[in-house]
Amino acid sequence: MNEYTMQMRAIAMTALEDIKGKDIIDLDTTELTDLFDCMIVCTGDSNRQVRALANNVAVDLKSKGYDIMSTEGHESGEWVLVDAGSLVVHVMLPPVRDYYDLEQLWGGQKPTFSPLGKPWSAV
């Protein structure tokens, strides 16, 4: 991962931590695809928090001079994607993250979700 992407990654991770994002992981994808160098996946507790987390990432990156190519998913707030070129950030509700399991697709470790103390998984 190059220095430019590492700086964006640090800003995005801090932005997610500031809004209390959960189960934040980052994956170096430089060996897996030419589309982007780093992917961050984070969980929010509600649609409102998912939107706030993604918005905080976009605002913080823009304020530091980085370009945001696009954002998707603000309408529903179940899964919001922030595309910053070499960095892609996915913020999701727990059942959405469990169902799509991006960590498995990209070689990361999937967190275990247990809302209300009851284990569950997507069917």
Side-chain angles (χ1 to χ4, degrees):
M1 193 177 338
N2 63 37
E3 185 64 30
Y4 181 81
T5 304
M6 288 174 57
Q7 290 171 354
M8 282 198 303
R9 178 198 158 278
I11 293 165
M13 295 288 279
T14 301
L16 294 169
E17 290 166 355
D18 286 349
I19 309 290
K20 308 292 186 230
K22 294 184 177 172
D23 301 312
I24 304 168
I25 65 155
D26 65 312
L27 301 168
D28 183 343
T29 59
T30 53
E31 301 296 320
L32 303 173
T33 183
D34 292 334
L35 297 174
F36 47 88
D37 295 336
C38 181
M39 176 171 53
I40 298 174
V41 184
C42 175
T43 302
D45 289 327
S46 66
N47 300 62
R48 178 181 240 170
Q49 186 188 24
V50 167
R51 286 190 290 266
L53 285 160
N55 185 61
N56 203 43
V57 168
V59 167
D60 284 6
L61 286 171
K62 280 184 186 178
S63 74
K64 303 282 194 244
Y66 296 101
D67 292 328
I68 303 300
M69 306 305 168
S70 68
T71 59
E72 302 288 333
H74 278 281
E75 302 77 30
S76 72
E78 293 179 1
W79 177 357
V80 181
L81 176 136
V82 179
D83 180 355
S86 62
L87 172 72
V88 175
V89 180
H90 299 272
V91 185
M92 308 163 139
L93 290 174
V96 175
R97 186 169 178 180
D98 189 47
Y99 181 80
Y100 287 101
D101 197 5
L102 295 180
E103 294 85 358
Q104 175 70 29
L105 290 172
W106 292 95
Q109 194 72 317
K110 180 180 178 179
T112 303
F113 298 110
S114 185
L116 305 174
K118 299 176 185 175
W120 61 273
S121 66
V123 179

